[in-house]
Amino acid sequence: MASPIVDAKVVITSPGRNFVTLKITTAEGVYGLGDATLNGRELAVAAYLTEHVCPLLIGKDAHRIEDMWQYLYRGAYWRGGPVGMTAIAAVDVALWDIKAKIAGLPLYQLLGGACRDGVTVYGHANGATIEETVQEAIRYRDLGYRAIRLQSGVPGLKSTYGVSRDKMFYEPADAALPTENEWSTPRYLRMVPQLFKAARAELGWDVELLHDVHHRLTPIEAGRLGKDLEPYRPFWLEDAVTAEHQAGFRTIRDHTTTPLAVGEIFSSIWDCKTLIEEGLIDFIRATVVHAGGLTHLRRIAALADLYHVKTGCHGATDLSPVSMAAALHFGLSTSNFGIQEYMRHTPETDAVFPHNYGFEDGMLHPGDAPGLGVDLDEGLAARHPYSRAYLPVNRLQDGTMFNW
Ligand SMILES: O=C(O)[C@@H](O)[C@@H](O)[C@H](O)[C@H](O)CO
Ligand SMILES: [Mg+2]
């Protein structure tokens, strides 16, 4: 039954944006893929894998997924963190891909089978103004999305998070050196309630509306915004504050019933244990690629389930189609699934990562091919050389360094 690993390699490709992919191959020639992309710090994970992980995989049994996870997590000594946990995630997902391929089953069948017919997703409507954003939201509704994230420009600011030139494909890592954004919390706090009021007036109540604060408020400011948005019933307010101070969410909870989502930058269950156990959040956004893979993400979902917290996994374009496929198998088979983010990849990216999932009636489904249902065209990948790109940085209008 053993399937010894005979090869493990890192493929770095940049079809419009950088992706790092781990490919593990067994003695019988079965291979699995794992996404290892950490936006803006891609080569750190590539080196961690190439220099410190891949040599350990050769000869190991690909079926021993849990043992491999523990070996790489405990064996590192310097456990946790975004680079190490992204590397472990890539190994984990690749091994699940292999196991499902050998079993001849779509991965979700190995994770307990389907809990639902499809994975409900949310799309991203953005615009330079409230009016433009609302028109984009109408377009997304007409495309069939049942949930739409609203991100608008802020009057008086030359730039902000989530507003892109390209309406369909948002990629924030947009330059060889960090783009400088500017920020004003007072201007922002005045804009968001107007955005939601306008969106509800045009879209009504049959579509879920979400918003990403992107780590920029204090707890009391988040309480203020949550309260101001209550009349418009947001599906969630995401990353309202930076989440190192988990107890800070108690203040937000004291002031608003607006649902809270957090966790796309979390690396492990330890980053969200207090938030979940104290009921300080409603959705956990930890992802397959950055939180230790499917093996660890299932533990986070199981803990969350005990405390009425649902999943709401991150799904931006810097998570490759390999991650999206894994997230869909996870979302299909997880009882306390909430919603899945879905930022479409460009046709250039989709060509490098051919996959089975497709959008229909507001949902995605991973398909029923054995394994993840995604592949890597290495020939095409080689035609897109890596090019360093940074996420933006953000400063207050007086020049003070702030959170992007
Ligand atoms: O919720 C989201 O999709 C955002 O927070 C992301 O676009 C995030 O900015 C990027 O993934 C960072 O690489
Ligand atoms: Mg976000």
Side-chain angles (χ1 to χ4, degrees):
M1 177 60 178
S3 293
I5 294 169
V6 296
D7 187 54
K9 67 177 179 182
V10 174
V11 177
I12 303 172
T13 182
S14 191
R17 60 145 294 105
N18 296 317
F19 292 109
V20 179
T21 307
L22 175 67
K23 181 174 183 178
I24 297 176
T25 306
T26 68
E28 58 262 65
V30 178
Y31 66 85
L33 299 174
D35 185 12
T37 306
L38 188 64
N39 204 1
R41 296 296 183 272
E42 292 87 357
L43 296 191
V45 182
Y48 189 103
L49 283 166
T50 302
E51 300 302 326
H52 305 299
V53 171
C54 291
L56 303 177
L57 304 181
I58 307 306
K60 294 272 192 325
D61 179 3
H63 282 293
R64 298 183 61 165
I65 298 175
E66 181 67 31
D67 180 64
M68 180 69 79
W69 198 96
Q70 299 296 336
Y71 181 84
L72 294 176
Y73 179 76
R74 297 169 189 271
Y77 184 74
W78 313 104
R79 60 182 60 184
V83 173
M85 295 301 276
T86 299
I88 290 175
V91 175
D92 187 75
V93 172
L95 296 183
W96 276 109
D97 191 15
I98 287 168
K99 187 182 278 292
K101 282 179 175 177
I102 291 174
L105 292 170
L107 178 51
Y108 71 86
Q109 293 293 12
L110 268 64
L111 302 178
C115 291
R116 54 194 58 81
D117 298 331
V119 176
T120 299
V121 295
Y122 71 88
H124 284 203
N126 74 76
T129 64
I130 288 175
E131 171 57 26
E132 192 180 314
T133 305
V134 172
Q135 288 310 310
E136 271 299 289
I138 291 169
R139 187 169 72 87
Y140 267 83
R141 180 200 57 193
D142 295 346
L143 285 171
Y145 284 84
R146 302 174 184 173
I148 302 165
R149 190 186 82 168
L150 305 173
Q151 303 294 142
S152 173
V154 179
L157 295 184
K158 65 177 183 347
S159 59
T160 191
Y161 165 72
V163 180
S164 64
R165 289 178 295 277
D166 185 316
K167 290 294 166 253
M168 206 65 185
F169 306 108
Y170 173 59
E171 174 46 64
D174 58 2
L177 287 173
T179 303
E180 298 240 343
N181 281 186
E182 68 170 351
W183 182 252
S184 159
T185 295
R187 293 176 186 275
Y188 168 78
L189 288 177
R190 287 194 293 271
M191 181 279 292
V192 182
Q194 294 171 27
L195 169 64
F196 271 76
K197 182 177 182 181
R200 282 295 179 213
E202 288 295 327
L203 290 154
W205 299 93
D206 291 336
V207 63
E208 297 293 357
L209 299 176
L210 305 85
H211 182 66
D212 190 349
V213 183
H214 221 261
H215 323 281
R216 301 185 182 197
L217 300 180
T218 63
I220 199 67
E221 290 167 344
R224 162 86 273 159
L225 179 58
K227 190 183 294 186
D228 287 350
L229 293 179
E230 283 174 10
Y232 312 113
R233 297 284 190 279
F235 182 81
W236 78 33
L237 199 57
E238 174 189 343
D239 281 337
V241 299
T242 52
E244 296 95 329
H245 177 37
Q246 295 186 43
F249 279 72
R250 294 174 191 145
T251 302
I252 310 173
R253 278 307 208 212
D254 288 344
H255 292 276
T256 181
T257 58
T258 291
L260 302 174
V262 73
E264 67 183 49
I265 67 170
F266 289 174
S267 303
S268 90
I269 200 164
W270 298 105
D271 294 332
C272 50
K273 183 173 179 293
T274 302
L275 292 170
I276 290 170
E277 291 179 339
E278 291 193 17
L280 298 178
I281 59 173
D282 303 277
F283 297 90
I284 179 63
R285 287 187 39 76
T287 64
V288 172
V289 59
H290 297 131
L294 287 161
T295 297
H296 194 60
L297 190 61
R298 295 175 80 202
R299 283 180 162 78
I300 293 174
L303 175 68
D305 200 12
L306 302 181
Y307 297 91
H308 307 289
V309 176
K310 295 182 178 175
T311 67
C313 296
H314 188 207
T317 46
D318 44 292
L319 283 64
S320 84
V322 176
S323 270
M324 181 50 69
L328 295 176
H329 287 283
F330 169 79
L332 198 66
S333 59
T334 299
S335 171
N336 58 318
F337 165 81
I339 200 165
Q340 170 65 46
E341 179 176 7
Y342 177 46
M343 285 168 85
R344 293 171 189 253
H345 290 104
T346 62
E348 204 180 22
T349 293
D350 286 344
V352 172
F353 296 95
H355 52 266
N356 291 335
Y357 62 81
F359 178 82
E360 185 177 350
D361 188 27
M363 297 192 288
L364 292 178
H365 190 286
D368 285 301
L372 286 171
V374 63
D375 207 345
L376 171 63
D377 182 328
E378 291 190 61
L380 211 45
R383 292 187 212 157
H384 300 288
Y386 168 79
S387 170
R388 181 179 296 120
Y390 286 93
L391 287 167
V393 296
N394 202 21
R395 293 183 183 274
L396 301 181
Q397 290 184 299
D398 68 0
T400 305
M401 191 65 199
F402 198 59
N403 309 320
W404 178 74

